[in-house]
Amino acid sequence: MTIRHLRIFVEVYRLESVTHAAEELHLTQPAVTRAIQELEQYYGTRLFERMYRHISPTESGRRLYPQALHLLDSFDRIETGLRNWDSLGRIRVGATVTFGDTVLPKLARQFLKENSAVELQVVVANGDTLAAALCENRLDLALMENAPAIPDLHTEEIGTDLLCAVMAADDPLAGQDSVSLEQLSKAPLLVREAGSTTRTVLQNVLDARGLPGHIVWESVSTEALLRAAAEGLGIAILPEARAKEAARAGEICLRPVEGNALQRHRVAAWHKEKYLTASMKRFLELCRQQID
């Protein structure tokens, strides 16, 4: 089993086609087929099911794929960066919308000031998308709220934050000091999309209390939810830090949820097989210093 075998396996898995993998790798189809057969003989297991000119990965193939990705990533780093391992290269960082809207820009600016030769690539997405990207080696690190329940990922808590109820200034709930979960369950809710940690935390807390959630507005955009709340369309559930910025304009009010029931743990996450370079470790150290 060689690096070449793994590269061919990864392309066949990714494209689900021997023909397309051969084109991508500039190899003949028989050479690609032979490499996959050699891998299967080496491990003594079938990696792909072949039916009606279509292939799909078996459970063994699905287990090998993330490990092969990380082995290839480590090999490529050695090949391209050994002579200047920590001062050059690229770090791929993912962040949830809350991180992307608040602390990440300042954090990235400070990191790049100290590490000007490092290319920092950032992706802002929901928690489920980031977790999948870490598992598939499309990201090196991710900043998110609440640790994903994925055994292959390592997480480190770096702080906490609160979700709050956001409403129009003339909403009846704006006259209270706090909002109960029972009141939230009866209100029209403006929430983030499924897969976001904001949505997951809210749903888990309501489910634990046996309370329904009446969702009338769903959006990937925090700004859209803020505008909808300002227009009196319902109660938005958003991070307190982000809502405070909008509340200063006077168009909305924010109220804590009774008992700080919607608290989230901020975490940094990476794959357990990921080799952390000194630059990645420095980025994590800045996260620990700046995120609270």
Side-chain angles (χ1 to χ4, degrees), residues 131-292:
L134 289 173
C135 290
E136 296 173 6
N137 196 36
R138 290 182 283 111
L139 289 175
D140 299 313
L141 305 168
L143 305 177
M144 58 182 73
E145 296 83 17
N146 287 7
I150 299 177
D152 287 338
L153 297 184
H154 174 84
T155 58
E156 175 188 329
E157 186 171 335
I158 53 177
T160 59
D161 78 337
L162 286 174
L163 301 177
C164 65
V166 179
M167 63 214 70
D170 59 356
D171 189 284
L173 294 180
Q176 302 180 181
D177 292 333
S178 64
V179 178
S180 70
L181 289 172
E182 286 74 15
Q183 288 173 318
L184 284 184
S185 71
K186 298 174 183 177
L189 296 177
L190 318 173
V191 299
R192 288 281 310 280
E193 79 285 2
S196 71
T197 53
T198 300
R199 174 76 167 270
T200 300
V201 168
L202 173 65
Q203 193 65 59
N204 288 346
V205 170
L206 290 177
D207 288 347
R209 295 282 189 92
L211 297 171
H214 180 44
I215 296 171
V216 298
W217 195 300
E218 178 180 298
S219 176
V220 299
S221 169
T222 299
E223 186 62 31
L225 298 177
L226 286 168
R227 294 306 311 162
E231 294 296 334
L233 299 177
I235 307 300
I237 304 301
L238 294 171
E240 186 179 64
R242 181 67 181 87
K244 281 182 177 178
E245 296 177 10
R248 294 190 184 103
E251 296 181 350
I252 61 167
C253 291
L254 64 142
R255 294 291 180 266
V257 178
E258 190 175 35
N260 292 335
L262 302 183
Q263 184 179 73
R264 301 185 298 181
H265 298 278
R266 291 180 161 189
V267 301
W270 58 92
H271 197 279
K272 289 181 177 179
E273 300 295 330
K274 172 63 64 177
Y275 176 84
L276 297 182
T277 65
S279 295
M280 292 180 191
K281 291 177 181 177
R282 178 53 183 157
F283 186 87
L284 287 170
E285 183 59 31
L286 288 175
C287 291
R288 298 181 189 108
Q289 294 172 4
Q290 293 194 19
I291 298 172
D292 190 359

Side-chain angles (χ1 to χ4, degrees), residues 92-128:
R92 303 166 299 172
V93 175
T96 57
V97 173
T98 302
F99 274 111
D101 281 349
T102 54
V103 300
L104 187 58
K106 182 180 179 180
L107 183 66
R109 181 180 63 183
Q110 182 174 343
F111 175 80
L112 290 173
K113 184 178 179 180
E114 298 178 5
N115 304 270
S116 58
V118 177
E119 179 186 0
L120 182 64
Q121 294 184 349
V122 174
V123 173
V124 177
N126 68 43
D128 283 0

Side-chain angles (χ1 to χ4, degrees), residues 24-37:
E24 186 76 16
L25 295 167
H26 306 290
L27 297 172
T28 65
Q29 290 186 43
V32 172
T33 299
R34 185 167 56 253
I36 295 299
Q37 290 173 343

